[in-house]
Amino acid sequence: MAARRWWRSSAAALAIGAAAPALAQTRIPVPGAPDVQLMLIPVPEGADVDSVLPGVIEKVGAGQGGIGRHAKPTQVNMRGTPMRIEAVSFNSAPGVAFFFLSVPRGRAICMAAIPLGQEKKAAMPTGEACLSAMGTGAAPAGTAAAGSPPPAPAAPAAPAARGAPPAHGGNWARVADVYFRSVGGFGVGGMVTLNFEPIVLFKDGSYYEIDDAALEDVDLAAERARRPDDWGRWSRQGDRFVLTDSKGRANDYALQQGRFFKAYPAAGAAALSGSYETVGGGGNTAFGGEVMIATNNRYNFLAGGVFTTARSTGATNSGAMTGVASSVAAKRAGQGRFAVDRHTITFTHPDGRSERRFFAFGSRKTPPQIDRGMLFIGDTVYTLDD
């Protein structure tokens, strides 16, 4: 009941003031955790999530008697998507743990209220529900009335069917080449890690930080309007590249010298075999905090175009903030068939679902050579498990 009282008072707090239209909210359900209350708050068009979040927390705190504790942000990997989590306690709700979840370049913030003692049970379904809701890109138009049934989140767009022609098959004719560059990130316990992101260079001098979808399924004009920060300009002189982002900031890269590398395509299922994994996580134990999260995702590519998957997630909380220690672990597995065609991998699942995703092999040495021990599925790096 405490979490439901939080919903009513927080909805009222967010509806106060001139910023109300930008903070309209919609309540969403959490399958398997009915006592958890979630609120989806759209981020204003063109605004950065990190710049909006402090104001959201402050507004909620104003309606909850002030902020009690505010833990350092943590980073987790949910279904291959980095997710930022901030834990907060409010003075008027001592029996509730509050979490604000967001994803890079997201258009909404997911705010969760979990009764103390249920964090272990609710952690995974809450994260999954928030990711699904934020992934729809829905922009709620108003506040749900207190006590009214929560609306179901919009369903994500269906992946392209394997046999269906791609919606934007001409995109590849515009491509000059595909590369990847090193970027900073967070790992288990909040440690700073080195990661990589793929970049598509176009013949017109623009570049695109590609996400999960195969390029032939991306409406480039719409994507550029929706996520301008993923775009920029590039130039090249010999083996040196200059990438200038959407804010005019230029970075100079020397090919194959530790920060910028060539990406390679594949041709057919025979080009891909072996077991590949990615290890990630988040938390704040690296900075003396109480939360540690570890994830492991694995693809096994077998002869004949067969694949299996395995995913495990574990999290611990010492209880330093809430006074309640907890831990959670989950495992999932799957299988199906796959096909690889240049920079696209297609997964077909036993239920007939099919999805196309961006694909690339890594590279090594100078001049560059293909490195089959490293690959991208979407914008996530996997390495061969020898």
Side-chain angles (χ1 to χ4, degrees):
M1 290 299 124
R4 293 179 183 177
R5 286 195 298 271
W6 159 80
W7 158 261
R8 289 191 285 269
S9 58
S10 295
L14 286 169
I16 295 172
L23 292 176
Q25 61 279 157
T26 291
R27 187 168 49 176
I28 56 177
V30 182
D35 292 333
V36 175
Q37 299 288 301
L38 299 187
M39 187 183 290
L40 189 65
I41 306 167
V43 174
E45 186 70 28
D48 179 69
V49 175
D50 291 342
S51 66
V52 172
L53 187 53
V56 171
I57 295 175
E58 184 178 348
K59 267 189 174 295
V60 176
Q64 293 289 348
I67 297 173
R69 296 182 180 179
H70 190 168
K72 293 180 180 179
T74 63
Q75 191 96 356
V76 301
N77 190 294
M78 183 71 65
R79 281 196 259 145
T81 299
M83 180 181 286
R84 177 189 173 105
I85 302 174
E86 293 197 28
V88 182
S89 67
F90 296 117
N91 295 333
S92 65
V96 182
F98 296 83
F99 300 90
F100 293 80
L101 301 90
S102 59
V103 295
R105 299 180 294 276
R107 290 175 291 165
I109 296 166
C110 188
M111 186 162 49
I114 304 176
L116 290 181
Q118 295 191 27
E119 298 97 319
K120 178 178 179 179
K121 174 184 175 182
M124 287 299 293
T126 297
E128 292 279 358
C130 280
L131 184 61
S132 295
M134 291 187 293
T136 65
T143 303
S148 63
R162 181 178 180 181
H168 304 280
N171 285 352
W172 282 108
R174 302 167 57 181
V175 173
D177 213 336
V178 181
Y179 293 84
F180 61 96
R181 65 178 171 184
S182 61
V183 293
F186 293 95
V188 177
M191 290 189 303
V192 177
T193 61
L194 184 65
N195 208 340
F196 298 95
E197 64 180 11
I199 297 178
V200 178
L201 305 187
F202 292 100
K203 296 174 182 177
D204 66 359
S206 63
Y207 75 77
Y208 170 46
E209 298 170 12
I210 193 165
D211 198 350
D212 196 59
L215 187 68
E216 61 267 33
D217 292 319
V218 177
D219 183 333
L220 295 177
E223 188 72 1
R224 188 166 194 164
R226 187 170 70 94
R227 293 184 169 180
D229 288 348
D230 290 354
W231 293 76
R233 304 289 300 175
W234 70 276
S235 62
R236 177 178 184 175
Q237 287 189 344
D239 283 341
R240 299 199 72 88
F241 292 75
V242 176
L243 271 61
T244 305
D245 68 17
S246 61
K247 294 180 174 60
R249 297 171 298 196
N251 287 284
D252 191 311
Y253 301 98
L255 184 64
Q256 305 298 120
Q257 298 301 311
R259 298 179 60 207
F260 196 77
F261 304 85
K262 182 173 174 56
Y264 281 88
L272 180 58
S273 64
S275 179
Y276 290 81
E277 69 172 353
T278 183
V279 177
N284 54 18
T285 55
F287 306 99
E290 71 278 4
V291 178
M292 176 180 287
I293 299 136
T295 63
N296 181 285
N297 294 308
R298 180 182 296 271
Y299 280 95
N300 299 306
F301 297 103
L302 309 174
V306 175
F307 78 90
T308 65
T309 63
R311 183 178 71 183
S312 62
T313 302
T316 60
N317 187 321
S318 67
M321 188 186 89
T322 64
V324 179
S326 61
S327 63
V328 62
K331 292 183 179 181
R332 291 188 180 181
Q335 62 180 0
R337 301 192 63 81
F338 76 96
V340 188
D341 182 15
R342 294 186 58 77
H343 285 295
T344 299
I345 186 166
T346 302
F347 294 109
T348 303
H349 303 277
D351 62 2
R353 262 184 325 115
S354 187
E355 57 179 336
R356 283 190 290 259
R357 300 175 67 183
F358 172 79
F359 175 89
F361 280 119
S363 65
R364 57 191 175 88
K365 298 186 176 181
T366 303
Q369 300 176 14
I370 189 170
D371 181 2
R372 298 184 187 275
M374 171 185 176
L375 57 81
F376 291 88
I377 297 176
D379 59 356
T380 300
V381 179
Y382 290 80
T383 56
L384 185 64
D385 184 6
D386 295 328

